[in-house]
Amino acid sequence: MREIELSYTVEPPAEQLRERLTPRSILDYADVYEVRSCEPTDDGAEATVAIDGTEMTVVFSALENGYAYRFVDGGMFEERYSRVTVEDGEEARVTATARYTFDSIWSFVLDRLGAKTVRRELELTITNLLEDVSGSETGDDGPETTGDRD
């Protein structure tokens, strides 16, 4: 199991960021998935996405300050859990986390090799959210990385 967490401290108010944060927008902001459907559920949403022709189901749960989501069937992951949150404060803090392991006897190698791709997905999710809200660069120095973990 590998974990990647990225965090930005940003100027747009947390409320504005949370207004734009939806299950559909998270998938769109990641800029990797072809979203085939995204239907609301009692506590979030269920989406069907495809990547390189492989179809996966993603289940979202609403959190007080964002969304948690997991890939529940299909695809390349044995397990994949992610979370995007927006915290209030003097400046808002947007955090994206992914814990994953690939579905392979070689997962110990694939997890490490896939880290760059998963990190890029999280970076794009946050960057595209910020651009959607502000319409321009945030002026920060980029994400504060809190680490990769095995």
Side-chain angles (χ1 to χ4, degrees), residues 88-105:
D88 290 311
E90 233 176 85
E91 294 178 297
R93 177 172 289 279
V94 182
T95 303
T97 306
R99 285 194 320 256
Y100 66 94
T101 190
F102 285 94
D103 188 16
S104 170
I105 61 169

Side-chain angles (χ1 to χ4, degrees), residues 47-114:
T48 301
V49 300
I51 184 169
D52 296 331
T54 301
E55 201 167 272
M56 298 177 276
T57 301
V58 186
V59 175
F60 286 82
S61 298
L63 305 172
E64 183 178 318
N65 57 354
Y67 287 91
Y69 53 103
R70 46 191 180 86
F71 292 71
V72 295
D73 66 11
M76 58 199 86
F77 298 103
E78 179 179 321
E79 183 177 343
R80 164 91 190 249
Y81 167 84
S82 298
R83 183 177 64 243
V84 178
T85 58
V86 180
E87 301 289 333
D88 290 311
E90 233 176 85
E91 294 178 297
R93 177 172 289 279
V94 182
T95 303
T97 306
R99 285 194 320 256
Y100 66 94
T101 190
F102 285 94
D103 188 16
S104 170
I105 61 169
W106 301 104
S107 63
F108 63 95
V109 173
L110 293 174
D111 289 353
R112 288 188 185 280
L113 293 174

